[in-house]
Amino acid sequence: MKEKFLGVDVSSYTYNQLKKNIISDIEQNKQSFIVAINPEKILQAQKNVILLRLLNQATYQIPDGVGVLLASKIYGGNISERVTGIDMLLTLCEQASTYGKSIFLYGAQPGVAEKAKENLLRKYPNLNIVGVMDGYVDDHEYIKKQINAAKPDILCVGLGSPRQENWIVDNMKNLDVRIFQGVGGSFDVLSGRVKRAPATFQRFGIEWLYRLITEPWRIKRQIKLPMFLYKVWKNKKYNYS
Ligand code: UDP
């Protein structure tokens, strides 16, 4: 259930398939790692083989970004639905709340994950959030101790990319946790500190346009999308001719 874009694996599971897999991974005591893949990360991985290995090491590389969907189309693949990091996090909360699984929020500035917790509990009153910690604590032993004492089934790590992915790979073997997800700036959005694009932008997959209007300096990151699609197209032409 994976497709490869310029060497980076992307899972073609939909939310519904991921929902089932996550619960079954927890029941089977399997450790899984979810990473969100967008064109920017795929391009970074072209220049950084360690990052490439790191991304391919994940259990589920979710297709976060319309660029990945377009790349799948170019290759004649099956990825037809975006699975964004924040919606995956909400899906985990929904599943945890339905199946009685616990969750821990780690990352963002002091107070942010705390506020995100309050808002998540408003949305999922039965959700068992067993801990929160900000992403600026330096004592790694302390962090691990707190997480292991709380024994969450699911750990959401919001330290930004690729810091959070490195952190997960370096620490997962020593943590009594089943599901790990790198969630980027999701706690900032869930806490209300940063606004998400309005629903219409989300529905049409053009959140990038909203972010460009509200944060014009992101153009530097977004300009990479056409370059990504060109590389994918060239790679296909090269491989098939
Ligand atoms: N962050 C953190 N610790 C750090 C550096 C960053 O907790 O040492 C947090 C930061 O507060 C923010 C998130 O990581 O909540 C990064 O968000 P961003 O949107 O930049 O991440 P992206 O999804 O773009 O990787």
Side-chain angles (χ1 to χ4, degrees):
M1 292 299 277
K2 301 225 178 180
E3 296 179 16
K4 224 182 229 317
F5 305 114
L6 306 175
V8 177
D9 286 336
V10 181
S11 134
S12 52
Y13 287 123
T14 61
Y15 284 110
N16 275 338
Q17 291 162 324
L18 285 163
K19 271 185 181 176
K20 285 189 208 135
N21 285 23
I22 294 307
I23 292 302
S24 124
D25 289 348
I26 298 178
E27 301 291 338
Q28 291 174 41
N29 256 333
K30 247 171 69 183
Q31 280 196 318
S32 290
F33 165 22
I34 305 168
V35 65
I37 304 288
N38 56 35
E40 199 187 356
K41 275 191 204 165
I42 298 179
L43 287 178
Q44 275 173 9
Q46 305 305 297
K47 296 185 210 133
N48 181 344
V49 69
I50 296 173
L51 177 65
L52 178 79
R53 266 193 229 126
L54 191 73
L55 298 177
N56 285 346
Q57 224 171 307
T59 325
Y60 307 108
Q61 293 88 351
I62 55 174
D64 186 355
V66 75
V68 180
L69 262 58
L70 292 172
S72 178
K73 273 226 164 65
I74 293 174
Y75 281 125
N78 290 317
I79 302 176
S80 55
E81 181 179 300
R82 273 196 329 150
V83 178
T84 66
I86 189 158
D87 285 324
M88 188 65 222
L89 163 52
L90 293 174
T91 301
L92 289 178
C93 290
E94 185 196 306
Q95 290 296 87
S97 144
T98 308
Y99 291 92
K101 305 300 177 195
S102 59
I103 188 158
F104 193 111
L105 314 177
Y106 166 45
Q109 282 165 20
V112 174
E114 200 72 58
K115 190 84 187 97
K117 172 183 170 179
E118 271 172 39
N119 291 342
L120 283 171
L121 287 175
R122 221 165 279 145
K123 195 169 163 74
Y124 308 101
N126 295 326
L127 182 60
N128 186 15
I129 302 180
V130 288
V132 293
M133 174 149 3
D134 73 72
Y136 295 86
V137 176
D138 283 330
D139 185 344
H140 278 261
E141 285 314 307
Y142 172 77
I143 299 169
K144 277 190 267 177
K145 229 184 232 159
Q146 293 295 308
I147 296 171
N148 277 334
K151 281 182 176 293
D153 294 303
I154 301 164
L155 176 64
C156 297
V157 184
L159 303 176
S161 241
R163 180 178 306 193
Q164 62 200 18
E165 284 81 19
N166 276 313
W167 188 91
I168 292 173
V169 169
D170 288 348
N171 292 290
M172 67 193 287
K173 289 284 162 281
N174 298 318
L175 290 170
D176 192 3
V177 173
R178 304 282 84 77
I179 311 289
F180 297 79
Q181 187 194 348
V183 299
S186 297
F187 300 143
D188 295 301
V189 176
L190 293 173
S191 69
R193 228 176 67 91
V194 171
K195 283 225 166 359
R196 203 180 170 185
T200 325
F201 285 83
Q202 290 179 35
R203 201 165 36 239
F204 291 106
I206 49 170
E207 277 171 282
W208 59 269
L209 180 60
Y210 177 80
R211 296 195 77 177
L212 186 62
I213 298 164
T214 53
E215 303 165 73
W217 58 89
R218 292 183 74 90
I219 187 83
K220 264 202 245 145
R221 292 173 67 165
Q222 298 192 341
I223 207 85
K224 291 184 179 148
L225 178 63
M227 196 207 296
F228 167 72
L229 292 175
Y230 174 70
K231 281 197 175 188
V232 166
W233 173 77
K234 217 172 80 183
N235 178 269
K236 183 189 168 189
K237 217 174 124 197
Y238 177 75
N239 282 329
Y240 288 82
S241 56

